[in-house]
Amino acid sequence: MPLKLPDCYTFAALQPPEHARIRSDRTRRAAYALPLVQAATGLVGAGVLAALAGGPAAAGFLAGAAVVAAGFAIFGWRTAGQSPVAPAGRMFARLLVGVVLKWLVIGAGVALAMASAALPEGFVLAGALAAFLAYMLSLPWLLR
């Protein structure tokens, strides 16, 4: 009589669960789609402001939203754009480097938009705020 192993020692039991593969794909898709949603929010807001307040206000709003979208794109590239299978220390380092790069891009971009490009400060900050609100409202929908 052959020896029968329990089900927990079969080849199928050693494979990653199905939900783990789906989750990383959803996360990667959301990391790539989120900056597009933020940029679209900036374009819509700039279009409305171009009709109401003029060109410099619309350019400032678009610059603020584009800077935040660029920061989130770099964060997504550093975290979800890399291989999902890595040691915990490397994954944590990716997360920290991604957060630092995101805030460096956002801080430098907003400062340059307000100082060097001489765009209206209030509209640059309003564009950045609109992009952050787009992040807060669209991320749960993107992760579905």
Side-chain angles (χ1 to χ4, degrees):
M1 177 163 163
L3 181 66
K4 177 159 175 19
L5 294 174
D7 287 339
C8 61
Y9 294 112
T10 62
F11 182 72
L14 297 175
Q15 299 303 311
E18 188 66 30
H19 63 81
R21 281 184 246 152
I22 293 171
R23 182 168 172 79
S24 74
D25 292 340
R26 287 180 183 167
T27 304
R28 185 171 290 184
R29 184 184 69 221
Y32 293 148
L34 182 60
L36 296 175
V37 170
Q38 290 173 322
T41 302
L43 283 172
V44 169
V48 169
L49 280 174
L52 297 177
F61 190 89
L62 184 60
V67 164
V68 172
F72 275 91
I74 287 177
F75 178 75
W77 166 70
R78 283 299 305 159
T79 55
Q82 306 290 326
S83 171
V85 179
R90 186 174 297 157
M91 295 297 280
F92 187 64
R94 286 179 190 169
L95 179 69
L96 289 180
V97 169
V99 167
V100 168
L101 286 175
K102 175 179 78 170
W103 286 109
L104 282 175
V105 166
I106 291 173
V110 167
L112 285 173
M114 290 190 289
S116 296
L119 295 172
E121 295 87 4
F123 290 106
V124 172
L125 293 177
L129 178 65
F132 276 116
L133 288 175
Y135 159 71
M136 298 287 288
L137 296 175
S138 68
L139 190 63
W141 175 72
L142 289 173
L143 285 174
R144 292 186 308 163

